[in-house]
Amino acid sequence: KKFSVTAEKDGVYDLSYFSLGTSDQTYLAIRLAVIDLLFGKDKPIFIDDAFLQYDEEREKAAFKLLSERAKEGQQIIFFTCRPVPDFEGDANIINLDNLN
């Protein structure tokens, strides 16, 4: 029911020691690992604005990871209120602001 995450960088620290972007990135990695353990990569993933705290470099790396998973056949449905950066791979992007 409870778990905590520690990370090592010149010592062992609770995850709250690091930036919010680092914390969010760690939790995304944990969520993806749990999904893989429970379901493998044959189930779709729904992600809702998980990258709000990410800097540009971290965001590009996260989208690259999701793109690689999609290339392996996993369906990824990502909701965001921000523009999606360019990334390699096929994507079906639906911008609801442009729907009239």
Side-chain angles (χ1 to χ4, degrees):
K1 292 184 180 187
K2 280 188 169 186
F3 75 95
S4 64
V5 176
T6 58
E8 186 174 333
K9 182 178 182 180
D10 301 325
V12 177
Y13 297 92
D14 184 75
L15 197 58
S16 62
Y17 171 82
F18 298 96
S19 70
L20 292 174
T22 299
S23 297
D24 285 353
Q25 188 175 26
T26 302
Y27 285 118
L28 175 64
I30 291 169
R31 283 188 292 246
L32 293 175
V34 169
I35 288 167
D36 290 350
L37 286 171
L38 294 175
F39 307 110
K41 292 185 179 177
D42 61 340
K43 301 287 184 189
I45 296 175
F46 291 83
I47 301 173
D48 186 15
D49 249 342
F51 305 157
L52 288 177
Q53 304 291 334
Y54 286 22
D55 57 33
E56 187 176 328
E57 182 179 334
R58 185 174 277 136
E59 184 179 48
K60 285 181 181 180
F63 275 113
K64 182 179 179 185
L65 171 69
L66 295 178
S67 177
E68 289 169 2
R69 292 176 75 102
K71 285 178 186 176
E72 295 172 359
Q74 187 165 33
Q75 183 180 23
I76 298 170
I77 301 162
F78 187 87
F79 298 95
T80 184
C81 62
R82 302 180 315 158
V84 176
D86 292 333
F87 61 97
E88 296 178 18
D90 293 332
N92 183 8
I93 298 173
I94 300 169
N95 185 342
L96 296 179
D97 285 340
N98 295 334
L99 296 179
N100 289 321

